[in-house]
Amino acid sequence: MQQDLIAQARTWLAEDPDPETRDELAKLIDAEDFDALAARFAGTLQFGTAGLRGELGAGPMRMNRSVVIRAAAGLAAYLNAKGQTAGLVVIGYDARYKSADFARDTAAVMTGAGLRAAVLPRPLPTPVLAYAIRHLGAVAGVEVTASHNPPRDNGYKVYLGDGSQIVPPADGEIADAIAAVGPLAGVDRPGSGWEILGEEVLDAYLARTDAVLDAATPRTAQVVYTAMHGVGTSVLTAAFARAGFPTPVLVAEQAEPDPAFPTVAFPNPEEPGAMDLAFATARRANPDIVIANDPDADRCAVAVPDATADGGWRMLRGDEVGALLAAHLVARGATGVFAESIVSSSLLGRIAEKAGNGYEETLTGFKWIARVDGLRYGYEEALGYCVDPDGVRDKDGITAALLVAELASVLKEQGRTLLDLLDDIAVEHGLHATDQLSVRVEDLSVIADAMRRLRDTPPTALAGLAVTSAEDLSKGTEQLPPTDGLRYHLDGARVIVRPSGTEPKLKCYLEVVVPVGSADELPAARAKGAELLGGIKRDLSAAAGI
């Protein structure tokens, strides 16, 4: 067994084009570090609807140039088989370790396969790539990014010519094509022949960002902004300048791209401590709001002054921002379908219905939200917002930030804040309180065991609320294709449990709805909502064994 492992590693080593991963693997072979080798050769990174994402390193279970070349070759074969011969593939990348290398390898493989390849001019936000696909008439796009994952990770996200991320059956067909790729020596990778795009594509994206704003609205909101060591700073500040907003105050320690993400444990605005420097900057600058992007700037986080919060600033939940933007668009007269994933707050449906707009729920991910017919606005609780689906059919943290700043400006002119509008929404539609129980694991079997336990012995009540119905989403519903998840409807609450598609986490999404008769009832309603959410968390943890 150990000799088979060594032989497998030597075969991989012989065709690895990267000196760094070759050196890493050679040292493991020489040291006969069988545990490390077994981890790297336990299988292959699976290509799915999120593309590829994993830890950087040598071997088929890691993200590296060999894995990326195979992925690119499989994608190229898929496109050629679909009759897209000589079609254009646009490639974008963030500022993570190896991103530029993976982008260049992808361009080389596409060129060698007879397709045309064009690479964005520098590390840029993912929504710029999503925009460029349709703007340039490409047949596909690739973004090299691991979004908000830890520094040791990277990823490979694939879009087709409609500008949306891949969904079944395309993901499975591309995975099959990747599996059919033979030795890397047989993958043609010329040293040139692709195009490096100029700044014109970014200029076109920035010109498009104006479309999300109302020309008549004020532009007075003062913003503190952090790019979270990612690629958002230059694009967001350019977009704000074009729109006429005050220049954002940057969180200096996090403004420039840095693949080490030195000031945060996880470069995700949702993670504890990630916003500490932004809040410290806000206490000095006294802005109206704080805005954060994740490292590839497709997500947007918002924080507001709150005297009751520790440190005087509070992060808004994704569901709160989702409702605020929906209410703002309705006030501007937006028409069309409002859509969200099943794990997001049901409040959006109430806002859409009262405005006479359509409403749809989808599976988790913008690959589904972006495909909703007639989409005008889509959001997901994990800080993702699609506010200009005609321009970017994906979540876009830049245009979302512009719309948040516009809303903050409108309210500022009225002597009001985002929190005031949230109060109005709660009085009009009921208080929709949401929370999440998220468990990060080292051993993925913990997640499988929890899901099995909940399927075998589903809870009959949580926090004293009876479970009125339970759905195993793996069987699909009339509205949704199958997905690994469970949904419980309670008397005045809803719970969804699912494994994360991009991280080793079990995620449980909780919502309680408390009727509100007037603004005076809000404090009591919030206290009741918090109590119920705490009880649901406690009882669900016990039921799942986590």
Side-chain angles (χ1 to χ4, degrees):
M1 180 66 179
Q2 290 180 341
Q3 290 310 306
D4 289 345
L5 189 56
I6 291 290
Q8 196 177 358
R10 289 192 187 282
T11 299
W12 185 274
L13 179 66
E15 65 172 18
D16 188 340
D18 189 331
E20 288 184 35
T21 45
R22 275 206 314 270
D23 183 57
E24 172 196 334
L25 189 54
K27 287 177 179 175
L28 294 176
I29 294 170
D30 291 344
E32 296 187 340
D33 188 340
F34 295 112
D35 287 343
L37 288 171
R40 286 160 173 75
F41 288 87
T44 59
L45 276 184
Q46 292 302 301
F47 186 94
T49 49
L52 293 168
R53 194 177 294 187
E55 187 176 344
L56 290 162
M61 285 296 290
R62 297 287 187 265
M63 281 296 297
N64 51 63
R65 290 182 61 197
S66 296
V67 164
V68 165
I69 290 167
R70 289 181 180 281
L75 174 59
Y78 166 86
L79 293 171
N80 279 323
K82 294 292 183 181
Q84 305 284 8
T85 309
L88 175 66
V89 179
V90 187
I91 303 150
Y93 59 104
D94 66 12
R96 285 178 176 266
Y97 296 119
K98 297 290 183 182
S99 286
D101 294 338
F102 295 166
R104 186 171 55 252
D105 281 332
T106 301
V109 171
M110 296 300 162
T111 302
L115 294 149
R116 293 180 294 126
V119 183
L120 293 184
R122 52 190 166 89
L124 287 168
T126 294
V128 177
L129 181 277
Y131 168 81
I133 292 166
R134 297 174 67 213
H135 176 65
L136 297 173
V139 298
V142 171
E143 176 70 17
V144 181
T145 181
S147 190
H148 57 278
N149 276 39
R152 64 179 182 271
D153 291 357
N154 212 329
Y156 198 80
K157 188 182 292 187
V158 176
Y159 299 74
L160 293 182
D162 62 357
S164 299
Q165 296 176 51
I166 54 169
V167 295
D171 59 340
E173 294 173 8
I174 295 170
D176 290 342
I178 294 170
V181 174
L184 290 191
V187 178
D188 188 14
R189 287 182 289 134
S192 62
W194 56 90
E195 180 185 2
I196 305 296
L197 295 166
E199 294 293 314
E200 298 83 13
V201 68
L202 177 60
D203 293 341
Y205 167 82
L206 287 169
R208 178 74 204 185
T209 62
D210 298 347
V212 307
L213 301 174
D214 184 331
T217 53
R219 310 284 165 89
T220 56
Q222 299 280 344
V223 172
V224 159
Y225 171 73
T226 176
M228 207 65 68
H229 297 297
V231 297
T233 297
S234 64
V235 180
L236 182 132
T237 53
F240 269 56
R242 284 183 61 97
F245 286 106
T247 302
V249 176
L250 302 181
V251 179
E253 302 92 332
Q254 299 174 337
E256 294 303 316
D258 188 336
F261 303 107
T263 68
V264 292
F266 288 93
N268 179 355
E270 294 178 294
E271 293 284 346
M275 295 291 288
D276 287 355
L277 286 171
F279 293 160
T281 303
R283 284 189 286 274
R284 294 191 299 270
N286 196 31
D288 299 300
I289 54 174
V290 171
I291 288 176
N293 288 139
D294 65 341
D296 69 325
D298 63 351
R299 299 172 193 242
C300 177
V302 182
V304 294
D306 186 345
T308 67
D310 185 27
W313 283 84
R314 174 168 82 83
M315 272 278 289
L316 297 181
R317 292 189 168 279
D319 284 320
E320 292 177 308
V321 177
L324 286 167
L325 292 179
H328 180 49
L329 288 170
V330 165
R332 278 182 28 186
T335 58
V337 178
F338 285 23
E340 64 182 343
S341 63
I342 58 172
V343 299
S344 305
S345 172
S346 60
L347 176 56
L348 183 69
R350 298 193 180 195
I351 294 172
E353 182 182 10
K354 183 154 188 181
N357 284 330
Y359 168 72
E360 278 199 35
E361 277 189 320
T362 73
L363 292 183
T364 307
F366 271 82
K367 57 184 175 281
W368 299 109
I369 294 171
R371 285 182 159 74
V372 169
D373 286 342
L375 180 68
R376 174 59 185 88
Y377 168 64
Y379 98 91
E380 192 158 71
E381 56 74 43
L383 310 182
Y385 313 94
C386 176
V387 301
D388 178 25
D390 290 339
V392 175
R393 292 188 181 176
D394 199 2
K395 54 187 177 292
D396 183 347
I398 305 297
T399 50
L402 285 171
L403 202 60
V404 168
E406 178 183 71
L407 173 56
S409 299
V410 169
L411 293 167
K412 184 177 182 179
E413 296 297 301
Q414 300 168 355
R416 305 174 74 235
T417 69
L418 296 179
L419 292 181
D420 293 326
L421 181 55
L422 282 173
D423 286 350
D424 292 349
I425 293 170
V427 171
E428 185 174 1
H429 300 287
L431 177 72
H432 289 62
T434 60
D435 203 353
Q436 193 179 123
L437 172 62
S438 183
V439 181
R440 186 181 293 272
V441 302
E442 294 293 331
D443 181 359
L444 290 177
S445 68
V446 172
I447 294 176
D449 289 345
M451 295 296 289
R452 189 180 308 111
R453 188 176 292 109
L454 289 170
R455 284 189 168 102
D456 292 345
T457 314
T460 56
L462 297 169
L465 302 176
V467 176
T468 56
S469 67
E471 297 169 280
D472 186 342
L473 298 176
S474 67
K475 299 174 182 176
T477 71
E478 286 187 15
Q479 293 80 28
L480 301 169
T483 186
D484 188 8
L486 299 164
R487 178 162 59 180
Y488 304 108
H489 295 279
L490 296 87
D491 186 14
R494 185 206 65 195
V495 173
I496 293 174
V497 184
R498 60 178 283 273
S500 170
T502 56
E503 299 177 90
K505 282 183 176 181
L506 181 68
K507 304 182 89 169
C508 310
Y509 304 85
L510 324 174
E511 179 179 45
V512 299
V513 182
V514 183
V516 180
S518 68
D520 293 340
E521 297 177 17
L522 279 171
R526 288 202 170 93
K528 182 178 180 181
E531 179 186 355
L532 287 171
L533 288 172
I536 292 172
K537 265 189 180 181
R538 180 191 63 241
D539 294 351
L540 187 61
S541 290
I546 54 174

